Amino acid sequence: MENGLYVVATPIGNLQDISSRALSVLQESKIVACEDTRVTKKLFALLGISCDKTFISYHDHNEDECSPRIIELLSSGEKVALVSDAGSPLISDPGYKLVKKCRSLDIKVFAIPGASAVICALQISGLPTNRFMFSGFIPNKDSGREKLFDELKNIDSTLIFYETAPRILKTLLIMQRYFGTREIAIAREITKIYEECKNGTAEELVAYYTEH
């Protein structure tokens, strides 16, 4: 295993979705950069990976502070695994700045692919997959939602968003104004026991989630 930064995808729910390559990299890496060390240590325990490693808390709020330390470790010849709390790192998660710095310093960066909620949701949605746009998390304020939907309403592609369950009804009500009868799919609990994908217009989905 070469020295460098390994961007490692972890399961989004079902533990069996970890790849053998990811397991090997996580076992061999002595340093792990992760969003929440508690979440990652719990995952390692479930996967049977030793926690006898250095875990570095690395997230949006401390990226500028932690990046130099990680770069220093990489420059000294260490292998560092970068993981998110679940799924593929850098997808609405911190990390791209670190990757950019590594590439500017000729530090090798390796992608260890695996589960991604964005791709899994698209695959089960029944919506067109030939062209799609991932727009990340929907703003939590109405004004932010309205601005985002107004910017994207005329884009001719499948739009993918992240949203939290408590805000889904409020978001759908605003979507109804901007997307009209456009088909929407809501995927939740992907790869888990209660995996569900509901399709319909915003109006139909408001009715469904009001009752469910």
Side-chain angles (χ1 to χ4, degrees):
M1 185 169 146
E2 295 183 62
N3 297 335
L5 178 69
Y6 289 79
V7 183
V8 185
T10 55
I12 57 176
N14 194 316
L15 288 177
Q16 294 182 19
D17 290 335
I18 190 76
S19 72
S20 57
R21 186 180 177 207
L23 279 173
S24 177
V25 170
L26 294 177
Q27 287 166 343
E28 289 191 45
S29 299
K30 297 299 182 183
I31 300 166
V32 180
C34 50
E35 287 182 83
D36 188 326
T37 58
R38 296 166 298 179
V39 171
T40 300
K41 287 178 181 179
K42 181 179 179 180
L43 174 65
F44 276 34
L46 291 170
L47 293 172
I49 301 173
S50 171
C51 287
D52 184 21
K53 304 175 184 294
T54 299
F55 290 86
I56 299 174
S57 179
Y58 175 77
H59 46 74
D60 275 331
H61 302 295
N62 72 356
E63 189 165 37
D64 291 337
E65 175 187 342
C66 283
S67 288
R69 179 187 177 193
I70 297 172
I71 292 294
E72 184 178 352
L73 289 166
L74 289 164
S75 298
S76 66
E78 295 286 356
K79 306 175 185 70
V80 177
L82 173 66
V83 300
S84 64
D85 282 350
S88 297
L90 279 71
I91 309 302
S92 272
D93 282 314
Y96 85 89
K97 292 180 182 177
L98 177 61
V99 170
K100 187 177 180 68
K101 290 174 184 175
C102 286
R103 292 178 60 82
S104 70
L105 295 170
D106 290 327
I107 295 170
K108 288 189 175 181
V109 180
F110 304 92
I112 312 299
S116 167
V118 173
I119 299 302
C120 289
L122 180 64
Q123 289 171 326
I124 66 173
S125 70
L127 298 178
T129 59
N130 58 311
R131 184 165 65 173
F132 60 91
M133 175 180 174
F134 175 57
S135 300
F137 283 96
I138 294 172
N140 56 17
K141 292 184 178 180
D142 286 352
S143 59
R145 291 186 184 96
E146 291 170 357
K147 181 181 178 182
L148 177 64
F149 297 155
D150 189 48
E151 289 175 352
L152 302 180
K153 64 183 180 183
N154 294 320
I155 292 180
D156 184 20
S157 69
T158 296
L159 305 174
I160 308 175
F161 305 96
Y162 280 160
E163 182 57 291
T164 62
R167 296 204 300 255
I168 195 67
L169 273 173
K170 183 175 285 190
T171 292
L172 284 169
L173 286 167
I174 296 175
M175 277 187 160
Q176 191 173 339
R177 300 206 308 266
Y178 288 91
F179 296 110
T181 58
R182 185 166 175 171
E183 184 181 4
I184 297 171
I186 297 182
R188 69 180 190 93
E189 298 293 301
I190 301 171
T191 77
K192 301 177 186 177
I193 294 174
Y194 299 107
E195 178 177 287
E196 177 186 64
C197 186
K198 296 296 295 184
N199 290 53
T201 64
E203 182 179 8
E204 291 168 340
L205 291 170
V206 165
Y208 176 81
Y209 286 109
T210 298
E211 295 183 9
H212 301 82

